Amino acid sequence: MYDSTKETEAHIQKVSDYLDDCIFELSERQVSHDWDKIGDPVEKELFDTYTPKLKNCTYGSDEYKSFLEGLKPALDRHYSNNRHHPEHFENGIKGMNLIDLLEMICDWKASSERHADGNIFNSIEVNQKRFGYSDDLKEILKNTVDFLIEEKEE
């Protein structure tokens, strides 16, 4: 009679190994996230100038977009060096993997908390139009935010 124990144990180990790879990558990103914004003097100067302006405007508004234009040289450099931004990829969000998406939604959540009227769920809606992602991905992002909120409440 067949006993699936050895195959199941091997499967469990493989899943554990793949999850370890993901955990390692997330740990690396946790430590290095956005340090380039303060490490490069030109980038830092632009972020010093525009961050307070961005804080007091509505995400996605015309005013917000005009501030992004002023910040463009720093953002272009930042996006080119950070794969948690859809702008990093030639084909946008479709070039990202799940690790990128997880860092991205954590970044969006934290960024929404910097805005005076920030709302992560509104940001997800605005960004769906901006980046052209599907309703399915939008729901996954919202579910992930729900998880993050629940974890903070516990």
Side-chain angles (χ1 to χ4, degrees), residues 11 13 17 21 28 32 35 51 54 74 96-97 132 141 143-145 150:
H11 168 78
Q13 186 59 54
D17 291 345
D21 293 342
E28 290 287 310
S32 64
W35 280 103
T51 298
L54 289 165
M96 299 175 86
N97 64 42
L141 295 173
N143 292 342
T144 304
V145 170
E150 289 169 12

Side-chain angles (χ1 to χ4, degrees), residues 27-125:
S27 294
E28 290 287 310
R29 291 179 188 215
Q30 179 185 31
V31 170
S32 64
H33 180 86
D34 279 0
W35 280 103
D36 57 320
K37 284 183 174 178
I38 57 177
D40 177 85
V42 174
E43 227 175 296
K44 183 175 181 330
E45 182 179 338
L46 284 168
F47 279 107
D48 287 350
T49 300
Y50 284 96
T51 298
K53 295 176 182 181
L54 289 165
K55 178 181 179 133
N56 293 310
C57 68
T58 299
Y59 181 77
S61 68
D62 288 340
E63 181 182 36
Y64 177 87
K65 291 174 187 171
S66 74
F67 292 148
L68 288 189
E69 268 309 305
L71 195 52
K72 188 174 181 347
L75 288 175
D76 287 347
R77 183 179 184 286
H78 181 69
Y79 294 155
S80 72
N81 291 316
N82 290 277
R83 56 180 297 130
H84 66 275
H85 291 285
E87 297 92 340
H88 178 83
F89 298 92
E90 190 174 308
N91 60 343
I93 209 159
K94 291 178 182 174
M96 299 175 86
N97 64 42
L98 285 174
I99 304 299
D100 300 330
L101 291 171
L102 186 55
E103 184 179 7
M104 179 192 77
I105 193 62
C106 290
D107 188 41
W108 289 1
K109 174 75 172 102
S111 294
S112 72
E113 294 170 6
R114 293 173 83 170
H115 280 265
D117 67 348
N119 179 307
I120 183 59
F121 295 104
N122 182 54
S123 296
I124 291 169
E125 295 290 337

